[in-house]
Amino acid sequence: MQIIVLHSQSLLDLCLQHTGSLEGLFELALENHISITDELSVGQTLEVPDGIATDREILSYYTACGLQPATAFTEEDKQILDRKEGISIWAIHLDFIVS
């Protein structure tokens, strides 16, 4: 079965969404010749191997509710997180307005 990567989805997200389990994560990565930590591109097509471990109960829930997890941490997210903030960084009348 082929699956398509959505915005901000990681391999963990895709594995959970399409198998209901993370047991087959390494198998999914090997099948697609990628690392479990690789950034995926929107629209990228991945192949889910036959016989991959699934949890039918969780998979049914995700399918019934239309859940599509998207928890990837991008380089842009890292830049925002690394941005320095606080009173020791702010400049008066530039970032810190005195009224």
Side-chain angles (χ1 to χ4, degrees):
M1 166 176 67
Q2 286 191 336
I3 56 177
I4 298 174
V5 178
L6 301 176
H7 180 70
S8 293
Q9 282 192 316
S10 67
L11 198 59
L12 288 164
D13 298 327
L14 291 167
C15 192
L16 188 58
Q17 178 183 346
H18 294 285
T19 69
S21 171
L22 295 179
E23 288 182 50
L25 180 64
F26 291 104
E27 196 176 341
L28 182 59
L30 285 171
E31 177 74 21
N32 292 283
H33 309 288
I34 57 176
S35 168
I36 63 169
T37 58
D38 283 354
E39 276 192 37
L40 305 177
S41 303
V42 175
Q44 182 177 350
T45 303
L46 300 177
E47 189 69 36
V48 177
D50 294 329
I52 192 169
T54 59
D55 183 323
R56 299 224 180 267
E57 186 177 337
I58 293 174
L59 182 58
S60 295
Y61 177 77
Y62 269 63
T63 303
C65 294
L67 298 178
Q68 299 174 324
T71 62
F73 190 75
T74 64
E75 192 60 38
E76 182 179 329
D77 295 330
K78 185 177 182 325
Q79 289 174 355
I80 291 170
L81 187 63
D82 288 345
R83 190 175 80 215
K84 302 215 183 307
E85 277 289 333
I87 200 157
S88 63
I89 303 299
W90 298 336
I92 294 177
H93 295 294
L94 187 63
D95 304 293
F96 185 75
I97 307 298
V98 178
S99 54

